[in-house]
Amino acid sequence: MELVTLAAAYLGLRLYKKDWKLRMAIIGVPLLLNAVLYLVYQTTPFFYMGVILLLCIPFVWPRKSA
């Protein structure tokens, strides 16, 4: 799951520059998966990976000027 999280963060921030909905989905799906896995297994790595993806969301969110 660590590799999926890091790949999703990179792809969501760098690869797709035009469609912000696709970028948000690339980051949002692993974020929800990390949240569910954290609730199931109660281990902190899933929580920290979710925090990493949460920190990526403001950089993907569309601005009004764009």
Side-chain angles (χ1 to χ4, degrees):
M1 197 61 206
E2 288 97 357
L3 292 176
V4 171
T5 299
L6 292 176
Y10 179 76
L11 291 174
L13 291 174
R14 293 287 190 155
L15 189 60
Y16 298 105
K17 295 196 184 284
K18 300 289 183 193
D19 190 17
W20 69 271
K21 292 178 185 177
L22 179 62
R23 294 170 69 185
M24 192 65 75
I26 289 173
I27 291 178
V29 170
L31 176 62
L32 291 175
L33 189 59
N34 278 325
V36 169
L37 289 174
Y38 174 69
L39 290 172
V40 170
Y41 293 114
Q42 294 291 316
T43 58
T44 56
F46 294 119
F47 174 76
Y48 292 132
M49 290 184 288
V51 169
I52 290 170
L53 291 173
L54 274 176
L55 290 173
C56 292
I57 287 178
F59 297 103
V60 175
W61 200 263
R63 295 177 292 175
K64 291 183 182 179
S65 63

